[in-house]
Amino acid sequence: MQAFFLKKLNINFSNSGSDLSTGKELYAYQKTAIDKIFEKLENHPERYNLLYQLPTGGGKTVIFSEITRRYIQQTGKKVLILTHRVELCAQTSQMLNEFGVINKVINSEVKELPVPNDFMCFVAMVETLNNRLRDKILDLDNVGLMIVDEAHYNSFRKLFKFYEKGVMLGVTATPLSSNINLPMNEVYDELIVGESISSLIKMGFLARATTYSYHVGLTSLKIGVNGDYTVSSSERLYNTHVMQDKLLAAYKDVCLGKKTLIFNNGIHTSQYVYETFKQAGFEIKHLDNTHTASERRKILDWFREKPDAILTSVSILTTGFDEPTVECIILNRATRSLTLYFQMIGRGSRVIPGKNEFTVVDLGNNLSRFGLWEADVDWATIFRVPDLYLSNLRSDEEIELHYRYEMPADLRAKFSKSEVIDFDIKEAHKEALRQKQRPKVVIEQSIEQHVGMCVENSSDVESALELAQLLKEEIDFRVRVYTRCLGKASPSYVTWLQDDYFRKLKQQIVRLGSPVIETHVQEIVEETEPLDIPSSNSIDETQEELNTDF
């Protein structure tokens, strides 16, 4: 690209016969994307909205910064860049500076601005800009290009009335609107799909993810007006000690010693996670949107500097946060938002020397709902017919119905002396009905089998109890299948029955041991005394179970 001189800006770029030096190297796929975008912009100089998709970590800010620089050079018109977070404003402004684009950030401190003015590029948050335009502090008359970062958010639509002459470029990792009632194809005329995650991994620009999925019963979750799970129903599920135990066990299994970022769907859940890990002896900090800017900086500095730091948060770090040293992402929540799914996992995908892979722990059946993070996605079809994609998302009932627990190989090795480890709850329930037995015998038989597995693979009671602890995921699964056989059971009843199953399993293991050991481990057994038995089930048989001691 030839160097240029703009008297209007009073900026001189030396002409050395080569491209303008920006201090930033553009990769081949980025140059290709820029050329495609400019081809479209040149063919549609007015009233055309173009959308560009590129995965998190692919360099969207680099691409639209170079587009800004070239657009100003070629047209002499101004560029306006919109973001939705303060942090993104600062990061975008800094990147533009690296590309030699002098820019003005429109923030809360800008109370007035000369009209006309000599700035050729503005960076602003949507709400702040809307207020300044409303107060006539700024006008968009000479803005030829509006760039919308994180374009899947819809707050920028309120600015349309101020911007009617130029073209618009939206950039996003996921061209799927955050508001199901405002599809992106109503705003943008065309989508350009960039490199895929799998392609960027192969080229070495993104780290490879190893995903571990722990099944969670989600049928108690409620969907809110925005199409995602409500915070209140999510916290009722994830604030239980069962889920906290599962989270802690998953961390110990695959994330121990790694810099770990935990995402939650509620402040109370994140605070509970903080307490759980603290009590377990781990260094951890909690961050949410109630922290001051200085508190946030202090926490993030700590997270950056400590190699095995654990940070639990509430979606606040899904955008505008870039910490390449993150090694493990834990999704301690479920989401129906494909965008959020990619954003959360993307926080661990940065490549740095010594890090070309990272770990993902899924505790919300998100893998079953969306597939692997690195799997190819047909963004063109999603952009054209988003309703079709959303309607085909697997429901929690469907995921639950088709889920089959399979004991991991490393766990199966711990029960090597047991020839049979499977127990078909459905078949056992059918057989009980044929024999005119009460359904509770199914749970009794299942507990008996688990007792046998723990005892025959242990040398003493304490090691048998340790093995019992490892069966909690299978226990939870068996109980969920059992309650489905009974009919519709309340979430509180399912949780109670899971706890009661585990308590009885440990009691029966202890009874098989010596009196000395029985006394020694009594405290362990008492840790899981049953909760108050719920009484909100709608099935007579279930209600009878509630009032009967197994």
Side-chain angles (χ1 to χ4, degrees), residues 436-481:
K436 301 188 183 306
Q437 296 173 316
R438 299 177 67 183
K440 67 176 184 179
V441 301
V442 175
I443 291 294
E444 292 172 349
Q445 292 167 356
S446 179
I447 292 175
E448 182 180 356
Q449 189 219 21
H450 272 155
V451 170
M453 288 169 55
C454 293
V455 171
E456 66 188 359
N457 289 278
S458 305
S459 57
D460 53 45
V461 172
E462 290 192 63
S463 59
L465 289 172
E466 291 175 0
L467 286 180
Q469 190 73 28
L470 301 177
L471 293 172
K472 292 196 73 172
E473 186 169 357
E474 183 177 40
I475 290 171
D476 291 351
F477 168 70
R478 289 188 182 186
V479 169
R480 289 197 301 271
V481 174

Side-chain angles (χ1 to χ4, degrees), residues 388-406:
L388 179 63
Y389 168 77
L390 294 171
S391 65
N392 285 331
L393 272 183
R394 296 183 71 191
S395 68
D396 297 315
E397 290 78 10
E398 182 184 1
I399 292 173
E400 184 71 23
L401 190 61
H402 290 90
Y403 172 70
R404 297 291 182 269
Y405 174 82
E406 291 185 11

Side-chain angles (χ1 to χ4, degrees), residues 244-292:
Q244 292 291 313
D245 288 347
K246 182 170 289 192
L247 167 63
L248 188 59
Y251 171 81
K252 292 178 180 178
D253 285 346
V254 298
C255 297
L256 189 63
K258 299 177 181 178
K259 182 169 293 189
T260 300
L261 185 56
I262 304 174
F263 288 102
N264 309 278
N265 190 24
I267 291 177
H268 294 306
T269 302
S270 186
Q271 291 170 336
Y272 196 174
V273 170
Y274 171 80
E275 294 297 337
T276 297
F277 276 73
K278 286 286 286 185
Q279 291 177 12
F282 294 105
E283 257 194 278
I284 184 173
K285 291 191 183 296
H286 155 80
L287 180 65
D288 62 54
N289 58 11
T290 65
H291 286 86
T292 65

Side-chain angles (χ1 to χ4, degrees), residues 495-506:
T495 299
W496 172 82
L497 189 54
Q498 289 167 339
D499 290 343
D500 193 62
Y501 184 118
F502 189 59
R503 180 178 65 90
K504 286 183 167 61
L505 171 61
K506 293 201 294 186

Side-chain angles (χ1 to χ4, degrees), residues 229-231 234-235 263-267 269 313-315 332-334:
Y229 299 111
T230 64
V231 173
S234 182
E235 291 206 312
F263 288 102
N264 309 278
N265 190 24
I267 291 177
T269 302
S313 67
V314 192
S315 296
N332 190 44
R333 59 163 297 168

Side-chain angles (χ1 to χ4, degrees), residues 259 283 285 297-311 321 323-327:
K259 182 169 293 189
E283 257 194 278
K285 291 191 183 296
R297 281 194 299 271
K298 186 176 179 180
I299 291 172
L300 292 181
D301 286 344
W302 169 86
F303 185 64
R304 181 176 299 109
E305 295 167 4
K306 184 172 174 56
D308 58 347
I310 307 169
L311 180 58
F321 171 70
E323 180 47 60
T325 58
V326 171
E327 300 170 282

